[in-house]
């Protein structure tokens, strides 16, 4: 068992994980009569890669939407950086330092890779619309700075060759990478990835895993991800939450989760009667 | 302008040339690299400073005289600098192919006895660490891109910029030592060790001295009048001798600028942005560019297509003559000038060839149509013939004497002779010192008088004195009925079709010739799209009946052309299969420079070769493939064996069998 004291812990590969960044306290989410999430609590610590796994319909995406502030839980509280988070608009969540990618890619298809990633900088732009239209002085300097940050991301994700290509023309795997780029452009404290490897082949999965590890390593970004591919999850993450039918059935390191009988049952399909 | 003198006493090493350039062209650009979307540049003075810091840093790490330092990475200024820095320390740079898998790399690292390894990025570092478990002589690893390497054990590993910083700090302490080591370099010291690609057997380490590199660079620079105002795009593997000569030898001798692309995938964009004046590419790249142009023109509007076709016809007629400085009528000159305005100029600009003054192709035969296309546009594309053992140049084509079927006249300072068996031999100042740790091979390749056997069969053309290469001497053989078998000759003819990427012809000691063919996915894929042919994979497209039909037509045409030569008419291809996978260097079927390994392919696909000769219509096969990370998998396929039309000498065409 890891030492999960308030100060954090040290991972197997020697990374220091910090204190609690986000805490979910007794979250319940209901849509009419359907309970998507039932009384779940867990935390996400600074610098860790935290996975949420579970069979189809377990409530993983709903959970991610609660974290991102898109859904407001019916009961329970979300604590972020030591304070209880009130109900927020999506842009307010983004300004708090939370960025995400989507299960079904949500990019601007007619725009180039560069412009798509540039939109990720939106929340960091300070000059007014008027100043940007005239594009003199501060606004021009600001754009240069943002462009530099975006170029660093393009370099980081090795997508220089498609810098000026409209994303609609790109294959799926590359679009996923562009979407990750856009999320990174916001310089998030917490990065949410919704099935980053869905529909990818082995090579693309390996590339994406490498990028996720590198993001965590280079920028110290905390990452919460949902993923179906068990192999990938177990290799990447420091701690895993397992959900089934809206309930939390396991929480711990990949090894602990792997040995958990409830988890094995959920994945191997024990009848629920 | 460069001062064109024979090397004085002091210009006997690459570092010496660097110092000359730093004082002579101090503020002229020496290197450019596109990074973060912007071209960054370094002057010769800055380069000299960077290289010196690296050399001092390597001394701090304990680099000794005579050590071998492996350099594995893509074309980046820092990697070129590190080679010169290694030379300054009296050690020997050994550039390796960066796409080699750990297993191949292990052989070379072990053979060279490398003590230091300079890696481009994490991928290369990972391979070296894997190898390190078996090889105990690797003491230090230095890397240039630190991404993903933060968590690695750094007890014997350093970031290049840290090494340079330590070098700066140690300047006062080690400057004397470094200057002494630079002063020790002579014309005979080893400049670089390059590994041959190894079409047969294990790669051999070719030791080239400063004299080899500097004299070859001087002669070839003068031959083409290369100047400090020229620029070149460095995008071919650093481990290949050509890149060493172009991007280090000639660049340092002439003082021209070496431009490094942003990544391997952006090469074409970067080429267009830089517009180099000196350009080298293997035929495959020219083929690919021509295929791309033709595909785009197929999709263009009617008027544009008409304009293109009309003026390309003018260009084909007039362009090469203009380039060679022959008589051209005023009317044709006008038509060509208009064509330049409407078509050639914009096209050259798009391809990145607007400024090319000297362009070379080598390594393989180039299709006459492809060659003529570029010449017609007014690009001075020439051919050369060379080898690692010669420091590249054996023969090359002078301006005004350029043809697609010869490789030119002996380069300045090179003597060439043909022996009784038709094998080409040469002797030059560029002739290598030895194969490292392999005196037997050295002795069998280079005789006591310094003549080197090329292993290629060829002859001098009567009248022009141009050399023509027929084939690898080893590959030329006899068929069962005693007629001449020259596989490469036929393969080249096949490869001139844009649809065909690679071909391997069999027939030695057999009663007929057969072939394996690889389709070009780009060209055939585009054809499929335009003709509404649906396919899900390479394998499916390669086995499509209409594709097979097209390929059979190509083979038939090649047979007709081969039959015209009575000596070679036996080499017509009777049966062929279109392979279900692309031949790949990772599977050992090609060398890292993309040359066919005939024996390996024959062994690996012996079931297919069998089917070609036993008359079967289809053959099922399972092939092992290696992924980029070294893991293995396998693919299964059922292939159709196709018959091709062959021509009986002196009669009309008839179907095989």
């Amino acid at each position: 068992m890891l030492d999960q004291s308030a100060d954090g812990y040290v991972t197997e590969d020697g990374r220091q994980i910090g204190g609690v960044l986000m805490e979910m306290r007794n979250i319940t989410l209901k849509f009419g009569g359907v309970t998507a999430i039932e009384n779940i609590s867990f935390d996400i610590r600074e610098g860790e890669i935290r996975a949420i796994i579970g069979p189809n319909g377990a409530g993983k995406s709903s959970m991610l939407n609660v974290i991102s502030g898109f859904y407001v839980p019916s009961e329970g509280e979300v604590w972020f950086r030591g304070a209880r988070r009130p109900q927020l608009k999506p842009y307010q969540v983004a300004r708090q330092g939370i960025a995400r990618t989507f299960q079904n890619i949500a990019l601007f298809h007619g725009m180039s890779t560069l412009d798509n990633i540039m939109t990720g900088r939106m929340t960091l732009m300070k000059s007014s619309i008027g100043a940007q239209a005239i594009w003199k002085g501060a606004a021009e300097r600001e754009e240069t700075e943002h462009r530099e940050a975006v170029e660093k991301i393009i370099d980081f994700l090795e997508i220089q060759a498609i810098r000026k290509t409209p994303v609609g023309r790109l294959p799926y795997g590359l679009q996923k990478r562009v979407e990750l780029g856009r999320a990174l452009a916001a310089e998030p404290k917490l990065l949410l990835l919704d099935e980053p490897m869905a529909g990818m082949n082995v090579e693309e999965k390996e590339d994406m895993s490498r990028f996720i590890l590198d993001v965590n390593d280079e920028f110290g970004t905390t990452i919460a991800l949902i993923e179906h591919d068990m192999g990938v999850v177990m290799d990447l993450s420091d701690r895993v939450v397992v959900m089934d039918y809206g309930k939390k059935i396991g929480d711990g390191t990949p090894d602990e989760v792997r040995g958990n009988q409830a988890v094995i049952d959920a994945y191997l399909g024990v009848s629920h009667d | 302008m460069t001062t064109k003198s024979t090397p004085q006493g002091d210009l006997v090493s690459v570092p010496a040339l660097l110092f000359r350039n730093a004082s002579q062209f101090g503020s002229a650009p020496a290197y450019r690299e596109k990074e973060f979307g912007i071209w960054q540049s370094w002057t010769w003075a800055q380069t000299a400073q960077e290289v010196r810091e690296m050399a001092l840093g390597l001394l701090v790490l304990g680099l000794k005289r005579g050590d071998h330092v492996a350099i594995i990475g893509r074309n980046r200024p820092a990697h070129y600098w590190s080679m010169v820095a290694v030379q300054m320390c009296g050690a020997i740079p050994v550039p390796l192919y960066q796409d080699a898998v750990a297993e191949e790399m292990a052989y070379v690292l072990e053979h060279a006895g490398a003590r230091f390894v300079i890696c481009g990025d994490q991928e290369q570092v990972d391979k070296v660490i894997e190898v390190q478990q078996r090889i105990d002589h690797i003491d230090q690893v230095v890397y240039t891109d630190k991404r993903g390497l933060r968590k690695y054990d750094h007890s014997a590993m350093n970031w290049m910029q840290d090494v340079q910083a330590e070098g700066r700090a140690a300047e006062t302490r080690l400057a004397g030592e470094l200057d002494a080591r630079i002063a020790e370099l002579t014309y005979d010291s080893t400049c670089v060790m390059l590994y041959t690609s190894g079409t047969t057997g294990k790669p051999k380490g070719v030791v080239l001295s400063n004299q080899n590199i500097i004299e070859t660079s001087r002669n070839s620079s003068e031959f083409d009048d290369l100047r400090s105002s020229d620029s070149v795009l460095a995008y071919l593997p650093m481990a290949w001798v050509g890149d060493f000569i172009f991007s280090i030898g000639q660049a340092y001798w002439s003082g021209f600028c070496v431009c490094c692309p942003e990544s391997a995938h952006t090469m074409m964009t970067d080429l267009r942005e830089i517009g180099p004046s000196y350009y080298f590419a293997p035929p495959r790249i020219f083929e690919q560019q021509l295929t791309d142009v033709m595909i785009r023109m197929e999709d263009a509007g009617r008027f544009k297509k008409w304009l293109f076709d009309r003026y390309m016809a003018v260009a084909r007629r007039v362009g090469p003559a203009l380039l060679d400085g022959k008589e051209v009528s005023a009317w044709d000159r006008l038509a060509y000038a208009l064509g330049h305005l409407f078509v050639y100029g914009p096209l050259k600009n798009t391809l990145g060839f607007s400024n090319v003054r000297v362009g070379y192709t080598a390594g393989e035969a180039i299709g006459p149509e492809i060659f003529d296309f570029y010449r017609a546009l007014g690009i001075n594309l020439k051919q050369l013939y060379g080898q690692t053992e010669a420091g590249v140049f054996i023969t090359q084509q002078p301006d005004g004497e350029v043809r697609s079927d010869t490789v030119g006249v002996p380069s300045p300072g090179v003597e060439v002779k043909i022996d009784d068996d038709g094998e080409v031999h040469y002797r030059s100042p560029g002739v290598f010192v030895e194969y490292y740790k392999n005196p037997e091979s050295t002795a069998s390749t280079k005789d006591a008088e310094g003549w080197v056997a090329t292993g290629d069969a060829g002859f001098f053309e009567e009248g022009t004195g141009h050399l023509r290469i027929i084939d690898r001497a080893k590959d030329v053989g006899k068929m069962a009925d005693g007629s001449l078998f020259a596989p490469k000759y036929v393969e080249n003819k096949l490869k001139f079709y844009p649809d065909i990427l690679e071909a391997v012809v069999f027939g030695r000691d057999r009663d007929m010739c057969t072939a394996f063919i690889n389709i070009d996915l780009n060209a055939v894929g585009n054809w499929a799209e335009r003709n509404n042919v649906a396919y899900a994979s390479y394998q499916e497209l390669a086995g499509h009946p209409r594709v097979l039909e097209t390929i059979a037509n190509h083979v038939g045409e090649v047979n007709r052309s081969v039959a015209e030569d009575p000596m070679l008419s036996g080499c017509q291809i009777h049966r062929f299969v279109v392979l279900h996978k692309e031949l790949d260097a990772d599977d050992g079927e090609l060398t890292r420079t993309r040359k066919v390994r005939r024996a390996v392919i024959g062994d690996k696909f012996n079931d297919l070769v069998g089917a070609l000769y036993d008359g079967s219509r289809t053959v099922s096969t399972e092939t092992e493939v290696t992924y980029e990370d070294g893991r293995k998998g396998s693919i299964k396929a059922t292939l159709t064996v196709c018959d091709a039309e062959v021509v009986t000498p002196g009669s009309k065409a008839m179907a095989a069998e």
Side-chain angles (χ1 to χ4, degrees), chain A:
Chain A
M1 191 68 191
L2 291 168
D3 170 26
Q4 298 188 3
S5 64
D7 309 332
Y9 61 97
V10 177
T11 61
E12 264 175 37
D13 55 356
R15 277 153 52 239
Q16 174 65 48
I17 300 299
V20 175
L21 179 69
M22 179 173 262
E23 194 180 357
M24 317 301 286
R25 292 189 185 167
N26 309 96
I27 300 287
T28 297
L29 180 68
K30 288 182 182 163
F31 298 108
V34 181
T35 308
I37 301 173
E38 198 177 328
N39 193 24
I40 289 187
S41 304
F42 65 92
D43 61 6
I44 301 170
R45 285 163 179 270
E46 249 168 77
E48 81 179 337
I49 300 181
R50 187 78 149 118
I52 304 172
I53 63 169
N56 275 332
K60 306 182 298 285
S61 284
S62 300
M63 195 70 223
L64 205 70
N65 279 322
V66 171
I67 297 174
S68 75
F70 188 70
Y71 289 160
V72 180
S74 319
E75 288 162 40
E77 295 167 354
V78 179
W79 285 64
F80 185 60
R81 291 162 115 174
R84 189 186 160 183
R85 191 172 75 182
Q87 190 177 338
L88 295 173
K89 297 216 160 51
Y91 74 88
Q92 291 173 313
V93 176
R95 285 206 177 145
Q96 280 203 335
I98 298 178
R100 69 167 298 178
T101 65
F102 297 84
Q103 189 174 349
N104 308 310
I105 298 167
L107 290 164
F108 303 103
H109 283 260
M111 281 162 44
S112 68
T113 298
L114 180 69
D115 290 340
N116 264 288
I117 299 179
M118 204 73 170
T119 59
R121 305 286 300 174
M122 266 300 288
T123 53
L124 302 171
M125 291 186 187
K126 292 182 189 71
S127 48
S128 67
I129 290 183
Q132 285 185 18
I134 298 163
W135 205 61
K136 275 274 165 247
E140 187 185 346
R141 274 199 301 281
E142 199 187 5
E143 184 172 330
T144 311
E145 279 164 28
H146 288 307
R147 173 71 188 267
E148 192 179 340
V150 169
E151 284 294 345
K152 287 198 170 134
I153 289 166
I154 289 177
D155 182 71
F156 183 82
L157 294 174
E158 294 164 9
I159 47 179
Q160 299 97 333
I162 55 163
R163 184 184 281 126
K164 303 259 167 82
T165 316
V167 293
R169 291 208 337 232
L170 297 176
Y172 183 80
L174 278 179
Q175 291 196 6
K176 280 263 182 200
R177 223 188 274 183
V178 175
E179 205 184 28
L180 175 62
R182 183 179 61 183
L184 283 179
E187 295 177 12
K189 289 291 293 173
L190 175 61
L191 178 64
L192 308 177
L193 305 174
D194 195 348
E195 303 222 4
M197 332 254 177
M200 287 187 170
N201 64 29
V202 176
E203 209 169 313
E204 288 170 331
K205 279 182 186 175
E206 284 181 350
D207 281 350
M208 188 53 98
S209 305
R210 169 71 28 226
F211 287 126
I212 292 172
L213 288 172
D214 283 353
V215 166
N216 177 260
D217 183 39
E218 284 289 288
F219 309 125
T221 311
T222 307
I223 295 170
L225 64 96
I226 295 180
E227 185 49 59
H228 259 117
D229 187 322
M230 287 299 277
V232 168
V233 171
M234 295 304 179
D235 279 355
L236 280 183
S237 31
D238 300 314
R239 286 193 301 155
V240 183
V241 177
V242 192
M243 290 175 70
D244 191 23
Y245 289 96
K247 298 193 188 89
K248 183 169 100 169
I249 57 170
D251 187 357
T253 63
D255 283 338
E256 287 164 6
V257 166
R258 215 179 266 135
N260 181 330
Q261 193 54 44
V263 176
I264 296 167
D265 291 349
Y267 270 89
L268 296 181
V270 169
S271 61
H272 287 257
D273 45 19

Side-chain angles (χ1 to χ4, degrees), chain B residues 385-448:
Chain B
Y385 170 61
Q387 272 195 330
T388 308
E389 287 84 348
V392 180
F393 299 96
I394 300 174
T395 65
Q396 58 198 125
Q397 295 178 326
D399 287 342
E401 295 178 38
V402 180
R403 286 163 43 197
S404 63
D405 56 352
T406 79
V407 291
V409 298
S411 303
V414 182
E415 300 165 77
V416 179
K417 71 175 183 191
I418 314 284
D419 74 1
D420 299 338
D421 300 330
E423 189 176 348
V424 180
H425 293 248
Y426 64 91
R427 183 163 69 173
S428 77
V431 165
F432 71 119
V433 179
E434 58 170 355
Y435 290 124
Y436 188 61
K437 291 199 237 170
N438 194 343
E440 303 91 64
S441 283
T442 310
S444 65
T445 311
K446 188 167 87 160
D447 71 14

Side-chain angles (χ1 to χ4, degrees), chain B residues 12-15 83-84 86-88 91-95 185-194 206-214 217 244-245 248-249 433:
Chain B
V12 294
S13 66
V14 176
M83 289 215 255
V84 184
V86 166
Q87 292 171 341
M88 282 186 178
I92 297 150
V94 188
L185 295 175
T186 68
Y187 231 24
D188 295 325
S189 343
T190 302
C191 180
V192 67
M193 187 157 98
L194 300 160
V206 179
V207 176
L208 292 167
S209 68
N210 280 320
Q211 180 181 12
N212 294 152
I213 296 298
I214 290 176
S217 302
F244 191 84
I245 288 286
I248 291 198
V433 179

Side-chain angles (χ1 to χ4, degrees), chain B residues 87-366:
Chain B
Q87 292 171 341
M88 282 186 178
C89 298
I92 297 150
V94 188
L96 305 187
Y97 287 99
Q98 58 158 341
D99 51 357
V101 293
E103 199 55 41
E104 290 170 69
M105 210 169 262
Y107 173 78
V108 176
L109 286 173
E110 185 158 28
H111 185 262
R115 255 195 78 215
F116 282 42
V117 183
I118 295 170
C119 295
D121 55 15
Q122 186 186 14
E123 185 186 340
Q124 309 302 342
V125 172
D126 283 347
K127 283 193 266 187
V128 172
I129 289 175
E130 194 182 327
V131 166
Q132 234 170 345
Q133 292 161 353
R134 278 174 292 163
I135 302 177
D136 54 5
H137 50 67
I138 300 175
D139 290 343
Q140 288 286 343
V141 175
V142 178
Y143 54 84
T144 44
D145 183 352
K146 70 192 297 186
R147 179 163 100 206
L149 288 161
R150 201 183 303 264
K151 286 178 287 185
Y152 284 53
D153 172 14
H154 272 67
S155 55
M157 196 187 287
N158 285 282
W159 184 31
M160 185 53 95
Q161 296 199 12
D162 291 339
V163 173
Q164 284 181 292
E166 280 180 47
R168 269 196 298 279
E171 166 85 48
T172 3
R173 177 159 52 93
L174 292 171
E177 167 75 10
L178 183 64
D179 290 335
R181 290 208 196 177
I182 295 170
E184 284 168 22
L185 295 175
T186 68
Y187 231 24
D188 295 325
S189 343
T190 302
C191 180
V192 67
M193 187 157 98
L194 300 160
Y195 276 82
T196 59
S197 51
T199 27
T200 50
K202 290 278 184 196
K204 288 178 278 198
V206 179
V207 176
L208 292 167
S209 68
N210 280 320
Q211 180 181 12
N212 294 152
I213 296 298
I214 290 176
E215 295 208 1
T216 306
S217 302
R218 185 192 65 209
N219 290 341
S220 53
S221 297
E222 284 171 8
F223 186 83
D224 283 314
D225 190 23
L226 299 175
R227 323 159 186 157
S228 61
S229 57
D230 279 320
S231 59
V232 68
L233 186 74
Y235 68 101
L236 290 159
M238 289 182 63
W240 176 61
V241 64
D243 188 62
F244 191 84
I245 288 286
F246 302 135
S247 307
I248 291 198
Q250 293 180 335
Y252 280 64
W253 178 263
S254 306
F256 62 70
C257 180
V258 175
C259 308
C260 299
E262 191 168 21
S263 77
H265 305 290
T266 58
M267 181 257 166
M268 289 295 173
T269 320
D270 297 332
L271 178 66
R272 180 154 70 233
E273 288 173 358
I274 281 294
S277 59
Y278 180 40
Y279 181 66
F280 181 91
R284 158 177 65 90
I285 299 231
F286 288 111
E287 265 170 50
Q288 189 195 330
Q289 280 189 315
L290 176 59
T291 308
D292 288 347
V293 169
M294 288 308 174
I295 288 171
R296 294 279 295 275
M297 284 319 299
E298 291 292 337
D299 295 340
R302 283 239 299 279
F303 175 69
K304 282 185 185 163
K305 179 117 178 54
W306 173 82
L307 200 67
F308 178 78
D309 289 341
R310 188 186 144 70
Y311 279 106
M312 280 318 294
V314 173
R316 286 210 171 82
R317 193 157 44 83
V318 183
L322 276 175
L323 259 187
D324 291 345
K326 295 196 187 114
E327 282 283 302
V328 176
S329 73
W331 182 248
D332 279 345
R333 275 176 197 276
L334 179 68
Y336 192 83
L338 281 175
H340 193 268
L341 183 66
F342 294 134
V343 180
Y344 325 142
L347 180 57
K348 280 203 286 187
N349 194 16
T350 308
L351 293 172
F353 292 153
S354 292
N355 301 330
V356 171
R357 208 160 53 76
V358 184
Y360 273 110
T361 183
E364 293 273 344
I366 185 164

